[in-house]
Amino acid sequence: MDETLSLVLFSGTDDKLHAAGTLAAGACAMGQRVNVLLQYWALDAFRTATINADHGLAFDSIRPGTRQPPAGSAAIPWLETFRMAKELGDVTITACSGSLEVLGIAAGEMDPIVDGAGGIASFLLAAEGGQIVFI
Amino acid sequence: MDETLSLVLFSGTDDKLHAAGTLAAGACAMGQRVNVLLQYWALDAFRTATINADHGLAFDSIRPGTRQPPAGSAAIPWLETFRMAKELGDVTITACSGSLEVLGIAAGEMDPIVDGAGGIASFLLAAEGGQIVFI
Amino acid sequence: MDETLSLVLFSGTDDKLHAAGTLAAGACAMGQRVNVLLQYWALDAFRTATINADHGLAFDSIRPGTRQPPAGSAAIPWLETFRMAKELGDVTITACSGSLEVLGIAAGEMDPIVDGAGGIASFLLAAEGGQIVFI
């Protein structure tokens, strides 16, 4: 399989970051190229100042009766999963320039796992013919 | 159309489960195979103990001025929609083994509408060349 | 590129509407047709009565330590982005008839930027062979 998986990563909670990392690592393991575009709260989560913080869980987790992760959200290994994906295969993580501007974040504030900044046009160009997933 | 629709179902509120069920049923009606991978709060929602509970609405519904469903979230027929989709066509619902582990849920706790447990790799393999949607 | 980008737009907060508008405008700029199906809280946001309101931010933004948009959510130009996309290219925005019914919204309540109402089947038919994104 030599398709590209293009991942618009918008969400910033540990559970959704983990779902994204798992998808990226799985695609890598199957030989796919993976392009991740960080927007809004995912962009926020990948800042050097916050990348190791506890980012909590999605709103869905708050409903009464849900099974909570016994080890807590801080133990969810989403960043390790992205690091493993980058070691395994061809993963590019890009900070969305539009979101940087809206949130007033400088590109230099991003953690070194982020490869650079770029816009939606070049992201979509690389996505051509492949799958686009929004998380 | 003989494509496969691959649905990563992460969310556990009644409105998003309904959106997912509608997409699955629509794809079935068009002759597509549908593979659903249950992660996190969707996995939680498909447990026998909780599948018939009121799972509430997404955070977006809380904003002042939104039009609330007159019949309430408990009346949203998401489970019936999935059941109909399974009768109509070729729908496989899989509990994500990684999410089972993170939430400390045993495979035996899942409702019988769930066909089994499995990982991201076999899900992505079956998704090859088709569409992947994350809800 | 003459693929179709099919966008199931479910979310109703200004940040996610912006992400959706940006994706639609980007796809238009690359010559893709774009079909948007409005469900639930996006449908609610596109009502004439609410389209210019402040729709707030996603739940992810509430976590302590997140970088808030300095100009606030009301300044996020999501509607302008959709208008620009419609001027640039071939964008159709459809109110999902199932969601209209669940929320008790009449098709006549929708803002004129919405082209009409329709179901999931015709949406999926137009999506054939292209990309489907759920936001």
Side-chain angles (χ1 to χ4, degrees):
Chain A
M1 187 168 5
D2 57 21
E3 256 177 20
T4 295
L5 175 70
S6 299
L7 195 51
V8 184
L9 186 43
F10 175 98
S11 300
T13 54
D14 290 320
D15 45 2
K16 286 209 178 173
L17 292 167
H18 189 218
T22 303
L23 200 57
C28 274
M30 302 187 56
Q32 288 188 282
R33 265 190 321 277
V34 178
N35 288 320
V36 181
L37 187 67
L38 301 176
Q39 294 188 335
Y40 278 95
W41 314 108
L43 187 73
D44 183 84
F46 274 84
R47 285 189 289 131
T48 308
T50 52
I51 198 163
N52 291 307
D54 182 348
H55 299 88
L57 299 171
F59 178 69
D60 311 57
S61 68
I62 291 178
R63 291 173 294 108
T66 53
R67 190 70 61 91
Q68 297 296 312
S73 60
I76 296 175
W78 68 269
L79 184 54
E80 289 70 15
T81 310
F82 271 109
R83 288 205 172 114
M84 191 184 64
K86 286 200 99 168
E87 279 170 29
L88 264 175
D90 183 358
V91 179
T92 305
I93 302 180
T94 304
C96 177
S97 44
S99 288
L100 285 171
E101 197 181 337
V102 171
L103 293 182
I105 295 175
E109 294 182 64
M110 302 308 296
D111 183 83
I113 199 176
V114 179
D115 298 290
I120 193 82
S122 50
F123 177 78
L124 286 173
L125 195 62
E128 191 171 353
Q131 294 152 330
I132 303 182
V133 176
F134 184 96
I135 297 184
Chain B
M1 186 168 6
D2 57 20
E3 255 177 24
T4 295
L5 176 69
S6 299
L7 195 51
V8 184
L9 186 44
F10 175 99
S11 301
T13 54
D14 290 322
D15 46 2
K16 286 209 177 172
L17 292 167
H18 189 218
T22 304
L23 200 58
C28 273
M30 302 187 58
Q32 288 188 282
R33 266 191 320 277
V34 179
N35 288 320
V36 181
L37 186 68
L38 301 176
Q39 294 187 334
Y40 278 94
W41 315 109
L43 187 74
D44 183 84
F46 275 83
R47 285 188 290 132
T48 308
T50 52
I51 197 164
N52 291 306
D54 182 349
H55 300 87
L57 299 171
F59 178 70
D60 311 58
S61 68
I62 291 178
R63 291 173 294 108
T66 52
R67 190 71 61 90
Q68 295 297 310
S73 60
I76 295 174
W78 69 268
L79 184 54
E80 291 69 15
T81 310
F82 271 109
R83 288 205 172 113
M84 192 184 65
K86 285 200 98 167
E87 279 170 28
L88 265 175
D90 184 358
V91 179
T92 304
I93 303 180
T94 304
C96 177
S97 44
S99 289
L100 285 172
E101 196 181 338
V102 172
L103 294 182
I105 295 175
E109 295 182 63
M110 301 308 296
D111 184 83
I113 199 175
V114 179
D115 298 290
I120 194 80
S122 51
F123 177 79
L124 286 173
L125 195 64
E128 190 171 353
Q131 294 151 330
I132 302 182
V133 177
F134 184 96
I135 296 185
Chain C
M1 188 170 3
D2 58 20
E3 257 178 21
T4 295
L5 176 70
S6 298
L7 195 51
V8 183
L9 187 43
F10 175 99
S11 301
T13 54
D14 289 322
D15 45 2
K16 286 209 176 172
L17 292 167
H18 189 218
T22 303
L23 200 57
C28 274
M30 301 186 59
Q32 289 187 281
R33 267 190 321 278
V34 179
N35 287 321
V36 181
L37 187 67
L38 301 176
Q39 295 188 334
Y40 277 94
W41 315 109
L43 187 73
D44 183 83
F46 275 83
R47 285 188 291 131
T48 307
T50 52
I51 198 163
N52 292 306
D54 182 348
H55 299 88
L57 299 172
F59 177 70
D60 310 57
S61 68
I62 291 177
R63 292 173 295 108
T66 52
R67 189 71 62 90
Q68 297 296 312
S73 61
I76 295 174
W78 68 269
L79 184 54
E80 291 68 16
T81 311
F82 271 109
R83 288 205 172 112
M84 192 184 65
K86 286 200 98 166
E87 280 170 29
L88 265 176
D90 183 357
V91 179
T92 304
I93 303 179
T94 303
C96 177
S97 44
S99 288
L100 285 171
E101 196 181 337
V102 171
L103 294 182
I105 296 176
E109 294 183 64
M110 302 307 297
D111 185 83
I113 199 175
V114 179
D115 297 289
I120 193 81
S122 50
F123 176 79
L124 286 174
L125 195 63
E128 191 171 353
Q131 294 150 330
I132 303 182
V133 177
F134 184 96
I135 296 184

